[in-house]
Amino acid sequence: MSVISIDHLTKDYGHGRGVFDVSIQVEKGVCYGFLGPNGAGKTTTIRHLMGFSKPQEGSVSILDKDSWGNSAALQNTVGYLPGEVALPAGLSGTAFLRMMERMRNVKNNEYLQMLLDRFELEPNISIKQMSLGVKRKLAVVTAFMHDPDILILDEPTSGLDPVMQETFIEYIREEKKRGKTIFLSSHIFHEVDAACDRIAIIRDGKIVSEFQSEDLKKKHDRIYRISFSDMESYSAFVSNSFTFTSKNEKKLRARVQIPADKVGELTSSLKGFHIEDFVEIPFTLEDYFMEFYNTGHHFEGVKQ
């Protein structure tokens, strides 16, 4: 049984806005990355997951319980981090955390202190006086403080500084090792690539690609940057029929994109040339995302 199940979810707000026939299954212990630009439908999907919005078509459930019919229970049992943080300005951070403990009927001072230390949060000040980054850290601690088995995170590192973003990613990796099930929505390639086991790309409210994170690294073409010591070698090489992603005559340098099983052919073609360096350029999730968005190209094994 899937922990998180989205089955043909549709919510049409008109003018091409909303989500359309979205289906996602997330198994226990998996960190699922939901990647797309702002306005693609990520938050709409999460609002349905949390039971804040009723599906127009299809169904959404967590632990086989309908999200819309069990929204109150979900908010107390699931660790939810919204994309936009709205906190009561009249409370201190400490008072807000205590209020959330009472609402959830859960109190674990040791675990809470661990989170406060981990995210370097001093909550004993007025929320009104907190910066955006401190408010974000308070929201992070609030989402995790009851140690939930399921985490639903919408743009989780938005507003955090780069150091704290890395702290967050490392924490998510640790939670995954503990068996947590995580649904992470983001437009930040690094955090999705670093934390997620499976990734879906959403565009204009529709899932256009879904794949295992490791498959992207194993199955895609390789990219190499080759620099030459003389013009003769450079000119002879770029006259080959390889796929060149860039050519720089001034620097005598070229980039080649080639299938993994053709790398031997590439290296053989370089015999006799005067080479200054030969460097593999790692193919990233961002590379695939941009290539997919621009061309619709996908690698074998991707679900369309």
Side-chain angles (χ1 to χ4, degrees):
M1 180 186 74
S2 298
V3 173
I4 294 172
S5 180
I6 303 174
D7 189 25
H8 299 289
L9 171 65
T10 293
K11 176 61 75 72
D12 188 350
Y13 294 111
H15 306 288
R17 296 178 300 112
V19 291
F20 308 96
D21 199 29
V22 168
S23 293
I24 294 171
Q25 303 295 320
V26 185
E27 304 300 321
K28 178 177 173 56
V30 169
C31 183
Y32 190 98
F34 201 40
L35 180 64
N38 293 333
K42 303 188 303 297
T43 296
T44 297
T45 302
I46 285 183
R47 287 184 59 80
H48 284 81
L49 264 180
M50 290 303 300
F52 301 150
S53 187
K54 186 178 182 180
Q56 185 175 334
E57 294 179 19
S59 62
V60 181
S61 63
I62 295 178
L63 293 174
D64 211 26
K65 294 181 180 179
D66 176 68
S67 292
W68 174 251
N70 296 274
S71 59
L74 282 177
Q75 292 172 51
N76 288 332
T77 58
V78 171
Y80 169 56
L81 182 59
E84 294 185 6
V85 176
L87 300 169
L91 296 178
S92 69
T94 300
F96 177 70
L97 292 171
R98 295 307 179 199
M99 181 184 74
M100 294 305 297
E101 285 178 336
R102 292 192 298 272
M103 289 178 62
R104 291 168 172 157
N105 197 27
V106 173
K107 187 172 183 178
N108 186 333
N109 286 333
E110 184 178 349
Y111 193 75
L112 175 58
Q113 190 59 52
M114 181 277 292
L115 290 171
L116 294 174
D117 293 341
R118 185 72 174 269
F119 292 101
E120 301 177 8
L121 175 62
E122 173 48 66
N124 222 7
I125 60 173
S126 168
I127 290 175
K128 189 175 183 179
Q129 296 176 325
M130 291 180 177
S131 67
L132 177 61
V134 174
K135 288 179 181 178
R136 194 65 184 173
K137 289 195 287 186
L138 178 59
V140 168
V141 170
T142 303
F144 297 158
M145 60 187 286
H146 54 308
D147 198 14
D149 291 330
I150 302 168
L151 301 172
I152 297 178
L153 314 172
D154 191 4
E155 301 287 354
T157 64
S158 174
L160 298 179
D161 63 50
V163 173
M164 198 52 59
Q165 287 179 6
E166 290 303 315
T167 297
F168 181 90
I169 291 170
E170 184 58 33
Y171 182 79
I172 290 301
R173 287 170 172 162
E174 293 172 9
E175 291 294 90
K176 187 170 64 173
K177 288 179 182 178
R178 293 178 65 204
K180 302 291 182 74
T181 304
I182 304 164
F183 189 92
L184 191 158
S185 164
S186 181
H187 69 276
I188 300 174
F189 300 106
H190 170 62
E191 70 182 10
V192 173
D193 200 19
C196 298
D197 305 301
R198 189 164 181 81
I199 300 168
I201 295 175
I202 184 168
R203 178 175 62 190
D204 299 329
K206 300 177 182 178
I207 292 181
V208 293
S209 183
E210 185 179 15
F211 51 91
Q212 294 295 122
S213 178
E214 283 301 310
D215 288 348
L216 182 66
K217 299 166 186 175
K218 291 177 181 177
K219 293 186 177 181
H220 211 280
D221 293 352
R222 303 289 190 260
I223 298 177
Y224 295 94
R225 186 191 69 206
I226 308 166
S227 300
F228 298 88
S229 301
D230 57 73
M231 178 60 77
E232 183 179 357
S233 294
Y234 169 81
S235 298
F237 177 70
V238 297
S239 66
N240 282 314
S241 59
F242 296 118
T243 299
F244 292 94
T245 60
S246 70
K247 298 177 183 179
N248 190 324
E249 184 175 317
K250 186 175 181 180
K251 292 186 177 181
L252 304 180
R253 180 182 296 168
R255 286 196 185 199
V256 179
Q257 181 173 334
I258 192 166
D261 60 358
K262 299 290 185 181
V263 174
E265 182 180 322
L266 172 64
T267 55
S268 295
S269 73
L270 293 169
K271 291 178 181 177
F273 293 153
H274 298 111
I275 298 172
E276 203 165 270
D277 65 33
F278 182 94
V279 180
E280 181 175 359
I281 308 299
F283 191 86
T284 66
L285 176 61
E286 182 175 1
D287 293 326
Y288 174 68
F289 180 90
M290 296 309 297
E291 181 178 338
F292 188 91
Y293 253 63
N294 291 334
T295 68
H297 172 75
H298 63 280
F299 61 89
E300 183 182 354
V302 168
K303 173 186 173 183
Q304 294 301 299

